[in-house]
């Protein structure tokens, strides 16, 4: 499989690591899936990079592949049936010009069904940043549509894989209410893989250990640090500004501020009767994410997060 060249802080880097996550795609390709796979993980942890590399893998395994990412206006379509390919490409073209990505996302379900009807045997549908273009209210019903392709296909098939990815903790809850999908988390990169990425960045760099501690293996934060000449202060300030943290903190009462201060040292303190309302607000702001309490490999797309380590960023 060709390793993709990706861009990180305007530098070309090679896709690294994520062996387990790619292995999982291979397993799905070999064994098939019973449910749509809804993947969630922290912002910038590397979902898109992995999914784009996965399209390469799936093409190599003989799959027809539809990959779209409305947020990044990115797509990859490998469909044998020319009519369907043209139909999808013209919708994508329109979306590129007029930002009608919602139409593309919805149409993928009927295009996938038509492809199966027309004889496609191995098909992978990957919708990255799936719910932003169609709205969170529609997330569950969209997943139900993906499930319909698997459960009630218009003709028989060998393998159909449907994947939707999101970085929004609120959509995880929305999907989790129903029995329509497998919800799978992916975490930041594991230490060794993250080191390979760090090593690809040119110039003088702080020690890897410091960068690991600051980022917790999140490639987007690595990118931000690199862009700000490794000034963690600048990255933190930018984050405070972008997320409107000052306003958020001002809106809290004294008790909530105490809870927040405790949670910064130990996020698990939010998982208490007192802490849950604040946790919900942090989830809405995408500042916190609920993840499984178990570190077993089966619960995770790639390596599970490192064991509890309060010094990790
Ligand atoms: N395994 C990897 N190898 C090389 N580069 C990577 C890898 N994972 C992520 N990156 C780079 O790190 C940056 C952030 O990754 P990416 O955009 O995939 O995260 P994401 O989880 O999709 O983010 P978002 O939540 O915003 O959608 C990108 O520049 C990407 O190219
Ligand atoms: Mg992404």
């Amino acid at each position: 499989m060709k390793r993709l060249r990706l861009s990180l802080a305007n530098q070309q880097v090679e896709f690294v690591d994520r062996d387990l996550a790619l292995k999982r795609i291979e397993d799905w390709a070999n064994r098939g899936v019973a449910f749509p796979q809804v993947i969630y993980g922290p912002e910038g942890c590397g979902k898109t990079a992995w999914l784009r590399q996965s399209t390469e893998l799936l093409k190599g395994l003989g799959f027809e592949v539809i990959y779209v990412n409305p947020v990044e206006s990115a797509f990859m379509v490998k469909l044998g049936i020319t009519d369907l390919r043209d139909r999808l490409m013209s919708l994508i073209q329109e979306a590129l010009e007029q930002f009608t990505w919602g139409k593309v996302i919805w149409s993928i379900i009927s295009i996938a069904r038509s492809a199966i009807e027309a004889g496609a045997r191995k098909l992978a549908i990957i919708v990255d940043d799936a719910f932003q273009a169609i709205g969170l209210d529609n997330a569950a019903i969209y997943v139900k549509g993906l499930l319909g392709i698997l459960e009630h296909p218009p003709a028989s098939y060998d393998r159909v894989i449907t994947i939707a990815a999101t970085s929004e903790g609120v959509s995880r809850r929305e999907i989790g209410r129903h029995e329509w999908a497998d919800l799978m988390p992916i975490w930041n990169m594991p230490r060794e893989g993250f080191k390979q990425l760090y090593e690809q960045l040119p110039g003088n760099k702080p020690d890897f250990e410091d960068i690991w501690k600051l980022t917790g293996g999140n490639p987007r934060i690595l990118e931000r640090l690199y862009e700000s000449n490794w000034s963690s202060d600048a990255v933190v300030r930018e984050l405070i500004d972008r997320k409107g943290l000052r306003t958020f903190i001002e809106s809290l009462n004294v008790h909530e501020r105490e809870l927040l201060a405790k949670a910064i040292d130990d996020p698990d303190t939010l998982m208490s009767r007192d802490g849950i309302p604040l946790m919900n607000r942090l989830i809405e702001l995408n500042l916190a994410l609920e993840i499984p309490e178990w570190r077993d490999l089966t619960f995770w797309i790639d390596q599970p997060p490192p064991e509890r380590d309060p010094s990790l960023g």
Side-chain angles (χ1 to χ4, degrees):
M1 175 187 52
K2 182 182 93 197
R3 296 248 154 198
L4 289 179
R5 303 289 300 170
L6 301 166
S7 132
L8 185 104
N10 281 323
Q11 300 292 321
Q12 288 274 303
V13 292
E14 182 170 89
F15 178 85
V16 287
D17 192 60
R18 296 300 196 189
D19 298 345
L20 286 180
L22 292 169
K23 176 85 182 30
R24 200 170 272 273
I25 296 276
E26 245 181 290
D27 285 350
W28 292 339
N30 291 331
R31 302 209 334 236
V33 292
F35 293 95
Q37 304 298 311
V38 177
I39 315 295
Y40 67 96
E43 282 186 339
C45 70
K47 296 176 291 298
T48 296
W50 163 61
L51 289 174
R52 288 190 48 209
Q53 185 65 50
S54 300
T55 62
E56 285 300 308
L57 178 61
L58 287 162
K59 279 195 287 181
L61 294 170
F63 274 74
E64 305 197 50
V65 184
I66 299 175
Y67 168 90
V68 295
N69 181 330
V71 173
E72 297 188 14
S73 293
F75 60 92
M76 202 292 298
V77 178
K78 181 196 165 216
L79 264 184
I81 302 134
T82 337
D83 280 3
L84 292 175
R85 184 176 194 284
D86 292 350
R87 200 165 106 206
L88 182 57
M89 287 310 293
S90 88
L91 285 169
I92 289 176
Q93 192 53 43
E94 189 190 319
L96 289 172
E97 286 157 14
Q98 299 167 33
F99 220 80
T100 46
W101 281 101
K103 257 165 93 176
V104 175
I105 307 287
W106 286 115
S107 73
I108 282 175
I109 292 176
S110 68
I111 286 173
R113 297 187 69 87
S114 304
I116 295 169
E117 202 167 10
R121 305 293 306 176
K122 289 164 108 185
L123 178 65
I125 310 291
I126 305 178
V127 191
D128 198 355
D129 279 318
F131 310 124
Q132 251 140 358
I134 56 171
L136 189 58
D137 294 353
N138 292 316
I141 202 75
Y142 187 71
V143 168
K144 184 85 199 292
L146 293 177
L147 176 62
I149 305 174
L150 304 174
E151 279 192 336
H152 308 289
S156 66
Y157 58 77
D158 293 337
R159 298 278 177 269
V160 174
I161 301 172
T162 59
I163 301 175
T166 178
S167 58
E168 290 173 305
V170 269
S171 46
R172 174 205 193 280
R173 284 192 170 170
E174 184 59 25
I175 307 298
R177 292 167 50 218
H178 304 281
E179 283 290 338
W180 298 338
D182 286 334
L183 257 177
M184 292 292 289
I186 181 167
W187 196 245
N188 295 330
M189 297 184 74
R191 193 185 157 99
E192 277 318 302
F194 186 67
K195 192 163 185 204
Q196 293 170 36
L197 192 57
Y198 158 90
E199 276 162 3
Q200 290 190 59
L201 289 175
N204 285 334
K205 290 171 267 199
D207 275 357
F208 175 71
E209 195 54 36
D210 295 340
I211 297 301
W212 170 250
K213 287 268 188 267
L214 279 170
T215 60
N218 184 290
R220 174 81 42 70
I221 301 292
L222 174 69
E223 186 174 25
R224 292 209 179 272
L225 281 168
Y226 176 79
E227 273 191 320
S228 66
N229 258 325
W230 307 107
S231 160
S232 54
D233 277 352
V235 173
V236 169
R237 283 183 182 162
E238 198 270 337
L239 197 83
I240 291 172
D241 188 49
R242 184 162 37 84
K243 296 257 182 193
L245 294 189
R246 199 69 70 197
T247 318
F248 171 64
I249 289 165
E250 287 300 327
S251 77
L252 301 177
N253 63 33
V254 177
H255 178 57
E256 289 166 328
R257 280 188 209 186
E258 275 168 18
L259 285 170
L260 183 61
K262 272 196 210 142
I264 286 168
D265 287 333
D266 179 1
D268 287 345
T269 55
L270 290 171
M271 197 51 112
S272 61
R273 193 182 165 131
D274 240 16
I276 285 171
L278 177 63
M279 179 172 81
N280 289 340
R281 291 181 67 186
L282 292 168
I283 290 174
E284 273 167 32
L285 287 169
N286 237 2
L287 290 166
L289 184 67
E290 276 176 289
I291 55 169
E293 55 193 283
W294 309 279
R295 294 291 197 273
D296 314 44
L297 281 179
T298 46
F299 288 110
W300 296 86
I301 284 289
D302 196 63
Q303 302 270 3
E307 285 303 327
R308 191 183 158 77
D309 178 356
S311 69
L312 214 53

